Amino acid sequence: MAKITLDKVAHSYIANPKDESDYALRLIDNIWDDGGAYALLGPSGCGKTTLLNIISGLLTPSDGRVLFDGKDITNLPPEKRNIAQVFQFPVLYDTMTVFENLAFPLKNRGFNKEDIKERVLEVAKILDLTDSLNKKAARLSADAKQKISLGRGLVRKDVAAILFDEPLTVIDPHLKWQLRGKLKEVHEQSKLTFIYVTHDQVEALTFADKVIVMYEGAIVQIGTPQELFENPSHKFVGYFIGSPGMNFIPCTLDGNKAVVNGFGIELDDVTAALGKESTGDLELGIRPLYLEVHPEEIENSIPAQVKSIEDHGNYKIMTLNLAGNILRARLPEGKENISEKAWLRFPKSWIRLFANDKLLKRH
Ligand code: ADP
Ligand code: MG
């Protein structure tokens, strides 16, 4: 087990990088605690695999150092790093049985036969592979093969960390949900450091205690699912987390009010003070869940045009136009009587102000 330190790590796949855009990873300076369940979340191409491969040693960063428990391992090859890695697609020996595949990482490390058998049976049970242990891997479905790959990642208890690179991509949705739960269980029992890469927010938010959000080669926020939802530090996190993402509306300030289209929206004292100190372009952010929609004018409400309503079963998503800004509201049951015009209210405690894309917060 290990604490992982990324000391000013950056990486470019180009031999002589010139500016920032030549870097797949711009600058990562971070410490990940021993035993944490981390998810690396971000859109395709943002640098997740690059970062994972730098941790496992498949890639040497062009700048910076990687430390495990304070020891510099930047130049150690993968096999000397004591890390398990599970890839997007199955990596296994087709001619071996499931048992032999699962036993392989342990055999390699010189464990004795009894210990190997005990651990393989344990992992097979977790992954529902017990009945296939004697089958040749080649004869199994894609799902089952990927489960074996997961098993090979989980089988050693003496690793510094287990890295998962979008491991459930080839798994069907129902099984995906089950396996995610199992991985979480295994993490809780093993207390190993798990780093789980995904572009799927649901996967990240259900698996991890800490989610690391990446965007264009940089980490934009590390936080619990709740922190990311309530206080996204960057507009990108606001968009990317939540479904639909956070609403943003350009605004100005007038005393304790944010002004949108000539209407004042009351802010709490702390938020208003932050807005006043800021010199950047201000935007008001609010989650669709907290935007109140009313059929008639009420105190402190702002009129908006209803564009559409989508039914999602136990909730509806209303799309509105407020002075050219498209907003979404997540409606509870019983708001069906709103048709063309709606009156919006912004509860103070859920308003966030952003300046130049960044959340204004107290330091
Ligand atoms: P992610 O895993 O988040 O989808 P990657 O780490 O694979 O992102 O890629 C980050 C960026 O680096 C992308 O722009 C990608 O095209 C580029 N890249 C990835 N691997 C290579 C490589 N072997 N050679 C050159 N460019 C690469
Ligand atoms: Mg990737």
Side-chain angles (χ1 to χ4, degrees), residues 168-180:
L168 305 183
T169 309
V170 293
I171 305 269
D172 85 63
H174 178 66
L175 189 58
K176 209 180 235 184
W177 183 81
Q178 265 184 354
L179 285 174
R180 211 161 54 210

Side-chain angles (χ1 to χ4, degrees), residues 196-212:
Y196 188 101
V197 165
T198 178
H199 63 269
D200 178 344
Q201 58 163 312
V202 177
E203 230 170 273
L205 299 176
T206 51
F207 170 77
D209 314 323
K210 281 271 173 78
V211 179
I212 300 162

Side-chain angles (χ1 to χ4, degrees), residues 13-14 24-25 42-51 59 165-166 197:
Y13 288 101
I14 298 167
L25 281 185
S44 176
C46 72
K48 305 181 296 294
T49 297
T50 303
L51 183 53
L59 204 61
D165 195 351
E166 314 221 19
V197 165

Side-chain angles (χ1 to χ4, degrees), residues 133-344:
L133 280 172
N134 296 320
K135 287 189 190 152
K136 288 265 194 279
R139 293 180 37 217
L140 300 175
S141 65
D143 274 359
K145 283 186 181 176
Q146 185 63 359
K147 282 210 285 187
I148 302 169
S149 288
L150 272 174
R152 285 162 54 97
L154 297 173
V155 77
R156 282 177 54 202
K157 288 178 165 176
D158 61 337
V159 289
I162 310 182
L163 314 183
F164 302 90
D165 195 351
E166 314 221 19
L168 305 183
T169 309
V170 293
I171 305 269
D172 85 63
H174 178 66
L175 189 58
K176 209 180 235 184
W177 183 81
Q178 265 184 354
L179 285 174
R180 211 161 54 210
K182 292 212 164 151
L183 285 178
K184 200 171 167 70
E185 255 173 57
V186 174
H187 174 261
E188 275 158 15
Q189 286 161 12
S190 74
K191 299 282 172 221
L192 291 175
T193 307
F194 276 36
I195 302 176
Y196 188 101
V197 165
T198 178
H199 63 269
D200 178 344
Q201 58 163 312
V202 177
E203 230 170 273
L205 299 176
T206 51
F207 170 77
D209 314 323
K210 281 271 173 78
V211 179
I212 300 162
V213 186
M214 290 185 67
Y215 175 57
E216 293 184 346
I219 293 176
V220 281
Q221 189 168 8
I222 301 184
T224 62
Q226 189 184 354
E227 283 162 356
L228 300 179
F229 188 77
E230 293 185 357
N231 289 301
S233 66
H234 189 281
K235 272 177 72 181
F236 171 75
V237 181
Y239 287 132
F240 200 67
I241 306 264
S243 108
M246 198 169 209
N247 296 303
F248 294 98
I249 319 163
C251 65
T252 53
L253 273 194
D254 180 13
N256 261 21
K257 288 185 171 171
V259 180
V260 172
N261 197 28
F263 288 87
I265 298 170
E266 226 173 284
L267 302 172
D268 65 37
D269 295 343
V270 174
T271 309
L274 287 167
K276 276 177 219 158
E277 287 163 19
S278 159
T279 51
D281 292 332
L282 286 183
E283 278 173 277
L284 180 157
I286 188 162
R287 290 282 180 194
L289 184 62
Y290 304 125
L291 184 59
E292 282 181 26
V293 183
H294 298 274
E296 275 147 28
E297 182 168 13
I298 57 165
E299 210 189 334
N300 292 325
S301 64
I302 301 183
Q305 254 64 52
V306 177
K307 292 190 57 147
S308 62
I309 302 178
E310 258 174 68
D311 199 339
H312 289 257
N314 50 0
Y315 65 91
K316 292 188 169 65
I317 298 293
M318 182 182 274
T319 302
L320 301 124
N321 184 338
L322 171 60
N325 300 287
I326 298 301
L327 304 184
R328 299 214 155 73
R330 185 172 161 138
L331 304 182
E333 311 262 2
K335 291 271 185 183
E336 289 79 8
N337 57 340
I338 304 171
S339 52
E340 282 170 24
K341 194 166 183 181
W343 296 84
L344 302 179

Side-chain angles (χ1 to χ4, degrees), residues 32-48:
W32 299 351
D33 295 330
D34 188 10
Y38 291 96
L40 270 182
L41 173 68
S44 176
C46 72
K48 305 181 296 294

